[in-house]
Amino acid sequence: ERDLESVLFLFTKLLEVRGVVRPTVQSNLHLKATLEDGTVLHGQHHLTQGGKGGGSPISSPVKDLRLMCRSSTSNNPSVCEIGEDLCSDIMQADLIVYPMGSFYTSVIANLLPRGVGRILLESPAGCPRVYVPNTGVDPEQFGMTLSDCVRTITHYALRDVDEEMKETITPSDADVCKVVNIVLMDVDDGNYPGIILDVDVVENIGVRVLRLDLADIDAVQCLHPRKLTEALLSFC
């Protein structure tokens, strides 16, 4: 059986990483995505690259994402649960960040294991919960607006504690603010060609949208690591 946590520990020491890095779970699983047009994709690479032939981005928004056992041919979702160490880390966090990265296969995927949504909702209300949208184009965010992204994060967090959220129910504004209360973005709309920036809708939900000079002048549609890090640390 793979021991991912030990490998991560070794690499954090080699790279002199500050803090603790943990996997969400150590289970060896697949992702199953159902698109709005009924297409079903098994495997992270198919969602990022498109249909079973690969190479082309998806052309329909994602409707649902599930964890599946790699060795199973069943359509039943896999159930895995986070450990007590990770629960404790989240409860003690000064800041919760939903970072840049492939929206469904990197960000949402880590909200799927049992316990993640529950502990996010139980963590101290005063802890900032910051979403950092992708710059550039993420093919997984086909057809999405900024408010869609915020509500989707909330939906998958709530699905851990609310059976009704197993279906594609739009979360309330109050629920959104329990999961995401700040969106951190660069001042230039041109750095976000992959999503529709309905900032006014997000603000009407009750989520604060903070626009700062975060861009890297030496890289197209990228945020500067130091600027982003300093902005995030300012919330602590």
Side-chain angles (χ1 to χ4, degrees), residues 160-199:
D160 188 40
V161 296
D162 187 344
E163 284 299 319
E164 291 186 357
M165 296 301 292
K166 297 295 183 184
E167 304 301 327
T168 53
I169 295 176
T170 301
S172 69
D173 293 354
D175 284 336
V176 171
C177 294
K178 294 176 185 177
V179 178
V180 182
N181 52 30
I182 299 171
V183 174
L184 179 61
M185 303 178 61
D186 184 58
V187 293
D188 185 359
D189 287 359
N191 284 323
Y192 301 93
I195 57 174
I196 299 169
L197 297 180
D198 56 345
V199 173

Side-chain angles (χ1 to χ4, degrees), residues 76-115:
N76 295 325
S78 172
V79 177
C80 59
E81 188 166 357
I82 61 173
E84 289 301 317
D85 287 344
L86 185 56
C87 289
S88 177
D89 289 342
I90 296 174
M91 286 296 292
Q92 297 177 50
D94 295 316
L95 175 67
I96 294 170
V97 181
Y98 307 98
M100 299 172 67
S102 297
F103 185 73
Y104 281 98
T105 60
S106 292
V107 180
I108 300 301
N110 282 286
L111 298 176
L112 298 180
R114 178 175 293 173

Side-chain angles (χ1 to χ4, degrees), residues 8-40:
L8 285 174
F9 177 79
L10 174 61
F11 272 93
T12 57
K13 293 302 181 183
L14 290 173
L15 298 174
E16 299 182 344
V17 173
R18 298 181 182 181
V20 177
V21 180
R22 297 191 193 278
T24 307
V25 292
Q26 297 204 56
S27 304
N28 189 15
L29 305 171
H30 261 318
L31 288 171
K32 173 187 174 183
T34 303
L35 308 186
E36 292 282 359
D37 66 2
T39 301
V40 177

Side-chain angles (χ1 to χ4, degrees), residues 119-163:
I119 206 69
L120 284 173
L121 293 168
E122 291 178 359
S123 61
C127 178
R129 300 150 197 272
V130 184
Y131 170 47
V132 184
N134 287 321
T135 55
V137 176
D138 176 6
E140 297 181 11
Q141 291 180 297
F142 177 85
M144 297 187 75
T145 65
L146 182 62
S147 62
D148 287 337
C149 298
V150 171
R151 290 193 184 277
T152 299
I153 291 170
T154 303
H155 170 82
Y156 284 96
L158 292 178
R159 202 167 78 173
D160 188 40
V161 296
D162 187 344
E163 284 299 319

